[in-house]
Amino acid sequence: MTSRTITADAAGTWKLGDLDVHRIGFGSMRLTGSAAFHLGAPSDRERSIAVLRKAVELGVNHIDTAAFYFSTLRSANELINSALSPYPDDLVIVTKVGPFRTYSGQWGTSARPEDLRGHVEENLRQLGRDHLDVVNLRRMPKYDSIAEHFGALAELREAGLIRHLGISGVEPRHLAEAQAIAPVVCVQNQYALDRPDPATDELLRLCGEQGIAFVPFYAVAGEAGPNGTTTAHDDEVLAVARAHDATPAQVRIAWTLHQGPHVLAIPGTGNPDHLVENVAAGALRLTGEELVALDGLRRKAG
């Protein structure tokens, strides 16, 4: 693939509520270190800032972040603020609230509904904004229902601190629960070629029927999750990559985007070359036979 000439518009567009975004976005988790959170070595600050600026130069206008995305030295929100403020008019920043990490990096007690205003205001402070474009409620295992937490965010939306709401790490029943309270513009769940999950497949279908964006995370990392990109690639993935002169990561991103026009991709990286490759994956068109082979691989993994 001629990666260096391809920009984010090659993937097409979708709407997060009334906000137009390219279907290839950027996940900021890996900006802070060689792995997420405190799992790796902290990143070089100037390199991370350069990656963010390059992403916008390549047409990326959808960035996913969170106040709890930080390593021992780096904060994703601080990097975004430093690199991109004053923000381009078309840039959509999506954050998430619910989980909490202490300054030492340990995961703290799950937020209560009344805690969420503080989470939202911390994101506002770090990003240097007076409102947040989209806020996802990340479901916390401690709570079976999301109604109270989502209701608290809906109140902040009415107050003008949040423009649109989404949910993350949920089951189909949680989508219905949230929609009874306020509109949902996106659902963000772990979803990858080698990670079958019937409940998330059902969410993918429901989102498509209802015009809601479905935003997978760890689509490239797969089972490696926060530790980074997987290096375990099945023969089917490698064969498709060879056929398109692409990388396995590009094939994983392209397969994700082929799951429906409402599916957005937010691959993250702190490597400028990988960023260019990830954005270029939005132009990779898989054949019907290739999709059948990859879909078969996913069924086999289940």
Side-chain angles (χ1 to χ4, degrees), residues 184-202:
V184 175
V185 303
C186 57
V187 174
Q188 189 181 96
N189 267 31
Q190 185 168 355
Y191 183 83
L193 177 58
D194 53 2
R195 193 179 188 276
D197 181 344
T200 299
D201 286 342
E202 176 65 6

Side-chain angles (χ1 to χ4, degrees), residues 1-4 6-7 10 250 275-284:
M1 298 183 67
T2 55
S3 301
R4 298 190 183 280
I6 298 173
T7 55
Q250 288 177 315
L275 168 70
V276 173
E277 292 174 355
N278 290 345
V279 172
L284 180 54

Side-chain angles (χ1 to χ4, degrees), residues 137-141 143-146 167-179 184 186-190 197-204 206-207 210 214:
L137 172 66
R138 172 65 61 83
R139 180 184 169 235
M140 295 152 286
Y143 300 100
D144 183 60
S145 167
I146 66 169
I167 51 179
S168 177
V170 295
E171 300 173 10
R173 61 191 174 91
H174 297 117
L175 175 58
E177 195 174 35
Q179 288 176 308
V184 175
C186 57
V187 174
Q188 189 181 96
N189 267 31
Q190 185 168 355
D197 181 344
T200 299
D201 286 342
E202 176 65 6
L203 273 169
L204 171 68
L206 290 170
C207 287
Q210 299 177 35
F214 181 80

Side-chain angles (χ1 to χ4, degrees), residues 28-30 32 35-39 64-72 74-78 80 94-111 116 118-120 122-127 135-140 168-169 188 217-218 226:
S28 68
M29 179 186 286
R30 294 291 303 282
T32 65
F37 313 125
H38 281 38
L39 298 176
D64 177 82
T65 188
F68 54 82
Y69 286 177
F70 63 88
S71 65
T72 53
R74 303 282 173 258
S75 156
N77 281 353
E78 185 278 328
I80 292 167
V94 179
T95 189
K96 61 190 69 64
V97 297
F100 170 75
R101 292 175 68 214
T102 66
Y103 288 118
S104 66
Q106 298 301 309
W107 289 102
T109 304
S110 297
L116 294 181
H119 287 213
V120 167
E122 181 64 9
N123 277 282
L124 288 169
R125 183 190 68 78
Q126 292 178 4
L127 291 166
V135 174
N136 285 312
L137 172 66
R138 172 65 61 83
R139 180 184 169 235
M140 295 152 286
S168 177
Q188 189 181 96
F217 60 86
Y218 296 153

Side-chain angles (χ1 to χ4, degrees), residues 52-302:
L52 282 162
R53 290 175 175 164
K54 182 66 175 178
V56 171
E57 180 185 321
L58 290 171
V60 170
N61 61 356
H62 168 208
I63 295 178
D64 177 82
T65 188
F68 54 82
Y69 286 177
F70 63 88
S71 65
T72 53
L73 293 179
R74 303 282 173 258
S75 156
N77 281 353
E78 185 278 328
L79 291 166
I80 292 167
N81 190 346
S82 296
L84 303 178
S85 180
Y87 298 106
D89 290 341
D90 68 338
L91 180 65
V92 176
I93 298 179
V94 179
T95 189
K96 61 190 69 64
V97 297
F100 170 75
R101 292 175 68 214
T102 66
Y103 288 118
S104 66
Q106 298 301 309
W107 289 102
T109 304
S110 297
R112 300 182 302 274
E114 60 268 26
D115 297 330
L116 294 181
R117 184 179 185 111
H119 287 213
V120 167
E121 290 187 348
E122 181 64 9
N123 277 282
L124 288 169
R125 183 190 68 78
Q126 292 178 4
L127 291 166
R129 306 197 73 172
D130 61 4
H131 75 280
L132 298 173
D133 297 321
V134 183
V135 174
N136 285 312
L137 172 66
R138 172 65 61 83
R139 180 184 169 235
M140 295 152 286
K142 177 180 177 180
Y143 300 100
D144 183 60
S145 167
I146 66 169
E148 285 190 69
H149 290 79
F150 195 78
L153 290 182
E155 291 178 3
L156 297 178
R157 175 175 170 265
E158 290 297 319
L161 296 183
I162 301 170
R163 190 163 176 180
H164 296 294
L165 297 174
I167 51 179
S168 177
V170 295
E171 300 173 10
R173 61 191 174 91
H174 297 117
L175 175 58
E177 195 174 35
Q179 288 176 308
I181 298 168
V184 175
V185 303
C186 57
V187 174
Q188 189 181 96
N189 267 31
Q190 185 168 355
Y191 183 83
L193 177 58
D194 53 2
R195 193 179 188 276
D197 181 344
T200 299
D201 286 342
E202 176 65 6
L203 273 169
L204 171 68
R205 184 187 68 79
L206 290 170
C207 287
E209 290 179 352
Q210 299 177 35
I212 299 169
F214 181 80
V215 189
F217 60 86
Y218 296 153
V220 176
E223 291 301 325
N227 290 296
T229 305
T230 183
T231 57
H233 300 296
D234 293 278
D235 290 342
E236 292 89 340
V237 174
L238 295 173
V240 175
R242 286 193 298 270
H244 291 271
D245 191 23
T247 68
Q250 288 177 315
V251 172
R252 286 172 172 270
I253 294 168
W255 177 86
T256 302
L257 291 171
H258 276 72
Q259 301 313 299
H262 64 299
V263 178
L264 310 183
I266 49 169
T269 182
N271 183 313
D273 293 333
H274 290 169
L275 168 70
V276 173
E277 292 174 355
N278 290 345
V279 172
L284 180 54
R285 303 293 184 257
L286 304 179
T287 69
E289 289 183 356
E290 289 168 341
L291 287 169
V292 168
L294 294 172
D295 290 345
L297 169 62
R298 191 164 192 266
R299 287 192 298 271
K300 185 171 64 176

